[in-house]
Amino acid sequence: MYAAFFGLEHLPFSIAPDPRYIFLSERHREALAHLIYGLDGGGGFVLLTGEVGAGKTTVCRCFLQQMPPHCTAAYIFNPKLSAQELLATICDEFGVERPGGDPARPSVKECVDPLNAWLLAQHAAGRSCVLVIDEAQSLSGDVLEQLRLLTNLETDEKKLLQIILIGQPELRQMVARPELTQLAQRVIARYHLGPLAPRETAQYVAHRLAVAGWQGAPPFTPRALTRVHALSGGVPRRINLLCDRALLAAYAAGRKEVDARLVRGAAREVFGGAGDAPPRRRRWPV
């Protein structure tokens, strides 16, 4: 609605994961480096956690795009499955054929045996295999245990499968449970993706506007950008929601500039009356 008014070719703050708008802050680059490190980690688990909207999926997409040619990846974005269903999905994502039986309710053995044979063949061909599970905080304890058992698939030199778990901060709490001690001992790298810093928030806003076709200095005043950071907590998805509504408010008022007052009003609308207080953030060590 407001795109033409501001001379934009696209809406700059859509929450859809458009690869044109990828912005890698220092934190995002560090998270990406941890995932790439995991490729040569010899197997086991890599954990990437972050608050809702922090950009975990963005990092994951960049990681999958930058994987070297000798790596094969399977990506699972709906982990609310039983252990058997997850194993069947892993086989399907890797293109592993499973033996006959009930395709809707395969046994663990009907999945693990052909998967192991396939992984061995990939290893013999000089290829590495990576399993990426998004929203991993939704995994049940027995499914996590089954994933741990998959890391037992190995040769004398290395593990056959690298597993990357991406999820909200609760994932770290899950892995820290006493009953998952053996899994925790197989985590070779972990990173918590924190929010953007104030300077990065301003860079993020300017980047998305530029991609959308904006020319010159951003329409947000310096004080408005300060309020955007404070009220969004530096979380990219919240920044998108807030800036989109602030631009709409400026359009409705016939103004080409977005000031702090417009940002506060937008925050009251999109955050349900929380326009005068930043969201609470949990702090986690990296």
Side-chain angles (χ1 to χ4, degrees), residues 197-234:
R199 174 179 55 84
E200 292 171 329
T201 295
Q203 292 171 344
Y204 176 84
V205 171
H207 168 76
R208 294 192 69 102
L209 285 166
V211 172
W214 179 265
Q215 305 268 336
F220 290 83
T221 68
R223 288 188 62 189
L225 288 172
T226 298
R227 295 307 300 164
V228 167
H229 175 77
L231 294 170
S232 68

Side-chain angles (χ1 to χ4, degrees), residues 68-88:
H70 70 275
C71 291
T72 299
Y75 176 67
I76 296 176
F77 61 89
N78 178 25
K80 289 191 176 182
L81 304 167
S82 68
Q84 290 90 338
E85 290 171 335
L86 182 65
L87 288 172

Side-chain angles (χ1 to χ4, degrees), residues 238-254:
R238 291 176 64 91
I239 294 172
N240 286 358
L241 292 170
L242 184 53
C243 288
D244 179 74
R245 188 61 187 82
L247 286 173
L248 180 61
Y251 162 75

